[in-house]
Amino acid sequence: MRHIKFIITLCLFNIFILHSNNSYRGENAWLNYRFVEDSVLRNDYKTIIGKIFLSENKFGDVIKSELKISLIKLLGLEVYFTNNVEEAGLCIYIDKNVKCLRKEGFLIKSNDKKIILQSFSDEGLLYGVFYLIRKIQCHNSLKNLNLIEIPQIDLRMLNHWDDIDGNIERGYAGKSLWKWTELPEKIDKKYYDYARLNASIGINGVVLNNVNADPRFLRDDYLMKISALAEIFRKYNIRIYITANFASPIKPSKTPDEMKAWGGIGDLDTADPGNENVQIWWKKKIEEIYRLIPDFGGFLIKANSEGMPGPQDYNCSHADGANMLARLLKPYGGFILWRTFVYNKNVDNDRMKRSYKEFKPLDGQFEDNVILQTKNGPLDFQVIEPPQPLFGAMKHTNMAAELQITQEYTGHSTYLVYLLPLWKWFLRFDTYCEGKGSTISKILKGNLYGRNITAIAGVANTGSSVNWTEHHFAQANWFAYGKLAWNPDVLENSVTIEWIKCTWSNDIYCVETIKNMMCSTWKSFINASSPYGLGLTMDIPTHYRADFNIRANKEWQVDNIGIGNDRSDKGSNFVSQYYEPNSLIFNEIVTCPEDLLLSFHYVEWNYIMKSGNTLKDDFFYKLKSGIFQVKRNIYLWKSLEKYIDYVRYEDVLNSLICEKHDATRFYCDAVSFFYSRINMIDINQINKF
Ligand code: BDP
């Protein structure tokens, strides 16, 4: 009888899986727990983790529920928790002797019969459990493990550019996840799912609102709403941060539209950081915040940039502004993340030089709970641009990298562009600030100058879209960012494979094919939109497609002799902001890496490239790469039809078809620009696609 009951349950379970696969829309992202079909493997897992011992810890509920959900789906296993360490196959506990694991690390040891997951603190257990589950998702053996995982960066944050009205600046996946009109009374289930996805990849901080900060977020009513979110996120070890408008202490402006730039929520006439009343205002505000949110992370601030107010409005420096707030946050353990994204025209004619020129003289002047949050490049999240030379130059200041996960300049949610290769390329860059081997990765980890606090931020690509990111493959950028934030030296290939297995399939052909589709997309997007690192090429204001026409002879020079930017010592001398030998290497056309050639040089069209062809031939050939890439991806994706669930298969195919359409159109526009305006090429060269 019991046997029959078991068979019926198994059949129903399989029908359920089949059915849910047909309507699955990607909502679980990489926590897509699919049944392990291989019965030998499944039984192996089951025998070892049938009984679990879990010590008391503050994430106990979340851990238990994740183990329950995952193991029933992956293995059909009803989890049994025991208090008896001896009988448990999986033992999860805190050990105060393993201090070396620090606050969030964990270790896993196993043999054929037992797995030990240990940490020094509660946080480590949370991350360790997600790690173990992922091993099962990837069909990896749980036997004979002996590993230690410690996050290499302390604050691993997502920055949401979400506005108070529910829109997302540069967001391509629907509306904001935060339903301000419903909070704090109504709690959307998605808040939990979002927190869970983040915890599973080690994200431990979330900035809720846009850097172009609406001061109303600091009003009492909004703080109540924010504290409701904080309560949920705390369960997943995620701290909340708010982007604060520097002019918040000022009286509100008359019309709400003006609030961003001109008004505040206070009753003062100034936001001067040296003014005592301003300091008192912030002190009270900070007290209020910590009363509601005891683990509040701090403020992110965009000051004196793109019209946002800041200390310079009062003849004070960025350091004066940041320090005033940092001192008030310090007693509570809060941080100031101060952005270095400034490009004031009066500072220098060359935009690439401006941020460095403003911040380098301030090195050493910031409080130790100030972190300068700095975009990877000196322009603005271009698909490729030279690394920002402030990395390495600020030896006495905490530096965080700001990466952009949302694809503002890399095809929005239409293009499949996998950004991990870009980020790895940036992190591997050797600044030479302390001699050979002074990579940006080391700077961020705090290894080079022994920093006490380290941080990284990614501009989020999530929204109300069912699958969070609209393009299913954009989930990969979110996942990869989390893995990179945990360990900037993580291997690209292992992250990619893990994401594919957890999200799509464990089938070897499927894994290889999807990897193949993803890995060259960064390069092909560069080639199609900004060959040889030309620089700002995207249209205004959407930044979706390369518009050479609008950018020509503004952001870079072009004529029928050549193209590019002279930033050598004969031009703007931006190269001098780098340490030697980078400054020397970038300075010469012959030694400058071709990937960045046009960022640093104006190069004649008939210059012979490493390929042996002229720049002109290679440049125009590269412009076609976007079309080659997407055609190839369509071909590869179609070969996966039988492996992929229906809705997601169709969604991706449709995205690829749109991408092909747009890539073709943009290529034709680009070629006709060079033909008609620069009078360079024969119109007959425009191939018909
Ligand atoms: C640019 C975006 C703009 C942001 C700005 C920033 O176009 O929407 O406000 O960066 O980072 O990339 O502050």
Side-chain angles (χ1 to χ4, degrees):
M1 189 60 199
R2 274 176 67 185
H3 190 64
I4 293 172
K5 218 170 133 191
F6 175 75
I7 291 175
I8 294 173
T9 318
L10 204 67
C11 288
L12 286 174
F13 189 67
N14 281 338
I15 291 167
F16 166 74
I17 300 266
L18 254 170
H19 178 76
S20 58
N21 273 353
N22 272 339
S23 55
Y24 179 57
R25 297 165 75 193
E27 51 273 31
N28 297 328
W30 52 87
L31 298 181
N32 178 20
Y33 299 135
R34 295 181 317 277
F35 191 61
V36 177
E37 302 281 357
D38 179 338
S39 59
V40 177
L41 189 63
R42 197 171 63 240
N43 286 333
D44 255 11
Y45 290 138
K46 277 170 117 167
T47 45
I48 204 161
I49 51 179
K51 290 181 185 155
I52 301 176
F53 170 82
L54 173 64
S55 74
E56 271 300 302
N57 75 91
K58 66 177 179 203
F59 302 107
D61 289 347
V62 166
I63 291 178
K64 274 190 179 159
S65 119
E66 201 62 40
L67 284 168
K68 277 186 191 155
I69 301 172
S70 59
L71 297 181
I72 191 81
K73 287 194 178 171
L74 286 161
L75 309 175
L77 176 75
E78 288 275 6
V79 177
Y80 172 75
F81 289 98
T82 168
N83 288 327
N84 181 345
V85 183
E86 294 306 314
E87 73 161 354
L90 171 58
C91 298
I92 307 174
Y93 59 90
I94 295 168
D95 179 351
K96 287 293 174 197
N97 293 319
V98 282
K99 256 201 180 114
C100 59
L101 296 175
R102 308 214 300 259
K103 196 168 169 249
E104 297 173 305
F106 58 88
L107 70 76
I108 299 178
K109 281 189 278 196
S110 68
N111 55 27
D112 284 1
K113 297 191 184 68
K114 217 169 180 79
I115 307 172
I116 309 269
L117 165 54
Q118 263 178 1
S119 71
F120 173 66
S121 68
D122 306 40
E123 288 77 4
L125 296 188
L126 177 72
Y127 296 131
V129 164
F130 276 115
Y131 181 97
L132 264 185
I133 296 173
R134 195 146 49 234
K135 284 232 161 252
I136 302 179
Q137 283 183 276
C138 292
H139 296 186
N140 294 333
S141 168
L142 295 182
K143 293 177 184 167
N144 304 319
L145 298 176
N146 192 0
L147 58 92
I148 291 186
E149 277 281 329
I150 302 171
Q152 300 298 301
I153 295 185
D154 304 318
L155 312 181
R156 305 176 296 278
M157 317 214 285
L158 280 181
N159 286 186
H160 288 268
W161 285 1
D162 293 19
D163 286 323
I164 215 156
D165 61 5
N167 289 321
I168 306 179
E169 181 154 341
R170 309 299 179 187
Y172 312 104
K175 293 280 184 187
S176 170
L177 289 168
W178 327 129
K179 298 187 175 157
W180 298 118
T181 49
E182 296 179 357
L183 282 162
E185 288 82 18
K186 210 168 148 199
I187 300 295
D188 191 333
K189 178 185 168 292
K190 269 205 140 181
Y191 303 148
Y192 284 93
D193 296 339
Y194 165 85
R196 187 178 151 238
L197 281 163
N198 279 327
S200 75
I201 49 173
I203 303 280
N204 65 1
V206 166
V207 182
L208 292 174
N209 57 319
N210 193 350
V211 282
N212 298 314
D214 190 316
R216 285 174 291 180
F217 278 111
L218 291 184
R219 243 171 35 191
D220 323 358
D221 50 341
Y222 274 89
L223 292 178
M224 296 295 291
K225 297 170 192 284
I226 291 170
S227 89
L229 288 174
E231 211 166 294
I232 298 165
F233 294 176
R234 188 173 298 128
K235 296 188 180 22
Y236 296 84
N237 192 37
I238 295 172
R239 273 174 104 175
I240 286 220
Y241 298 72
I242 306 176
T243 307
N245 184 305
F246 198 76
S248 300
I250 293 181
K251 290 185 192 116
S253 59
K254 285 176 206 81
T255 55
D257 284 356
E258 285 177 36
M259 284 198 91
K260 273 190 188 166
W262 307 115
I265 51 163
D267 51 2
L268 305 179
D269 295 318
T270 177
D272 182 345
N275 180 299
E276 206 187 334
N277 290 331
V278 171
Q279 292 166 13
I280 292 173
W281 188 92
W282 280 110
K283 188 169 187 287
K284 284 192 179 149
K285 187 48 74 186
I286 289 168
E287 272 166 19
E288 183 190 347
I289 295 177
Y290 278 94
R291 253 197 319 275
L292 289 165
I293 312 169
D295 56 350
F296 177 63
F299 296 130
L300 169 66
I301 303 215
K302 170 174 176 177
N304 296 117
S305 166
E306 299 187 330
M308 294 301 288
Q312 291 179 339
D313 304 344
Y314 307 95
N315 290 323
C316 294
S317 72
H318 283 287
D320 297 330
N323 290 342
M324 181 270 289
L325 292 166
R327 286 184 197 118
L328 297 172
L329 285 163
K330 206 178 280 183
Y332 301 97
F335 296 100
I336 284 292
L337 291 135
W338 193 269
R339 293 178 94 224
T340 64
F341 177 64
V342 293
Y343 54 100
N344 182 341
K345 281 197 183 69
N346 304 325
V347 172
D348 199 281
N349 283 337
D350 184 355
R351 177 166 168 175
M352 282 207 186
K353 291 170 71 182
R354 295 176 189 159
S355 175
Y356 180 100
K357 281 179 87 172
E358 284 210 50
F359 280 93
K360 172 69 186 157
L362 302 177
D363 189 23
Q365 294 184 23
F366 293 94
E367 290 287 334
D368 61 7
N369 58 334
V370 174
I371 303 166
L372 292 191
Q373 185 168 310
T374 300
K375 291 189 182 184
N376 55 295
L379 282 178
D380 184 11
F381 294 138
Q382 300 307 287
V383 60
I384 188 165
E385 59 178 303
Q388 166 61 263
L390 277 173
F391 291 106
M394 304 296 281
K395 297 195 176 187
H396 310 283
T397 306
N398 301 320
M399 294 291 286
E402 181 179 303
L403 308 174
Q404 198 181 39
I405 312 171
T406 189
Q407 291 171 240
E408 175 181 354
Y409 289 96
T410 48
H412 296 189
S413 49
T414 303
Y415 277 65
L416 191 176
V417 179
Y418 184 42
L419 295 171
L420 184 60
L422 157 64
W423 300 331
K424 288 295 291 182
W425 172 83
F426 159 73
L427 292 164
R428 275 196 303 263
F429 179 73
D430 193 346
T431 66
Y432 285 92
C433 62
E434 293 288 311
K436 197 167 166 42
S438 310
T439 58
I440 293 180
S441 161
K442 277 195 189 153
I443 294 170
L444 293 180
K445 291 190 291 180
N447 295 352
L448 228 44
Y449 309 126
R451 312 262 21 124
N452 288 333
I453 186 77
T454 53
I456 189 163
V459 181
N461 64 347
T462 48
S464 57
S465 177
V466 179
N467 69 3
W468 304 92
T469 54
E470 193 71 24
H471 197 309
H472 291 281
F473 277 78
Q475 292 176 350
N477 290 328
W478 179 12
F479 179 86
Y481 167 73
K483 300 289 285 183
L484 196 83
W486 181 275
N487 177 10
D489 302 326
V490 70
L491 295 177
E492 200 172 306
N493 195 44
S494 72
V495 175
T496 312
I497 290 182
E498 214 174 58
W499 177 75
I500 299 171
K501 287 187 173 175
C502 293
T503 310
W504 297 103
S505 164
N506 294 72
D507 179 275
I508 183 98
Y509 173 74
C510 212
V511 173
E512 281 308 309
T513 308
I514 293 181
K515 192 177 97 183
N516 211 339
M517 289 173 66
M518 295 164 76
C519 288
S520 48
T521 49
W522 174 51
K523 284 275 175 202
S524 62
F525 200 87
I526 298 176
N527 292 339
S529 66
S530 186
Y532 302 112
L534 182 59
L536 284 166
T537 52
M538 303 311 253
D539 78 287
I540 300 168
T542 74
H543 300 166
Y544 175 55
R545 68 187 174 97
D547 185 346
F548 294 97
N549 195 27
I550 202 167
R551 300 290 197 169
N553 295 321
K554 293 191 189 92
E555 306 299 345
W556 33 269
Q557 237 185 297
V558 63
D559 50 34
N560 51 16
I561 312 282
I563 187 165
N565 302 275
D566 190 355
R567 295 193 167 101
S568 72
D569 57 5
K570 292 172 206 69
S572 78
N573 205 17
F574 168 57
V575 292
S576 68
Q577 292 185 350
Y578 291 91
Y579 289 87
E580 280 187 16
N582 289 334
S583 52
L584 303 173
I585 292 171
F586 291 149
N587 196 44
E588 303 297 330
I589 293 191
V590 282
T591 51
C592 184
E594 285 194 345
D595 284 345
L596 294 173
L597 188 62
L598 302 182
S599 293
F600 289 108
H601 296 280
Y602 171 83
V603 182
E604 295 192 0
W605 288 114
N606 57 17
Y607 177 78
I608 302 297
M609 306 297 290
K610 293 205 175 85
S611 64
N613 304 323
T614 62
L615 168 66
K616 178 178 159 182
D617 284 347
D618 278 358
F619 187 95
F620 288 104
Y621 183 73
K622 277 180 185 290
L623 288 178
K624 284 186 205 166
S625 321
I627 302 174
F628 294 151
Q629 175 76 53
V630 69
K631 280 188 165 177
R632 188 168 156 272
N633 278 355
I634 290 175
Y635 172 79
L636 292 173
W637 187 249
K638 283 187 170 166
S639 77
L640 296 176
E641 186 170 2
K642 73 170 185 218
Y643 300 89
I644 308 287
D645 31 287
Y646 178 75
V647 177
R648 291 194 300 166
Y649 174 80
E650 286 295 314
D651 283 350
V652 172
L653 187 60
N654 287 336
S655 301
L656 290 169
I657 290 167
C658 289
E659 182 184 327
K660 182 173 160 225
H661 174 265
D662 288 358
T664 309
R665 203 153 53 92
F666 303 156
Y667 170 73
C668 293
D669 290 352
V671 175
S672 72
F673 160 75
F674 285 103
Y675 168 72
S676 59
R677 256 198 65 190
I678 312 300
N679 199 11
M680 293 223 18
I681 42 167
D682 194 319
I683 195 76
N684 295 327
Q685 273 184 261
I686 305 179
N687 295 335
K688 291 279 166 254
F689 288 93

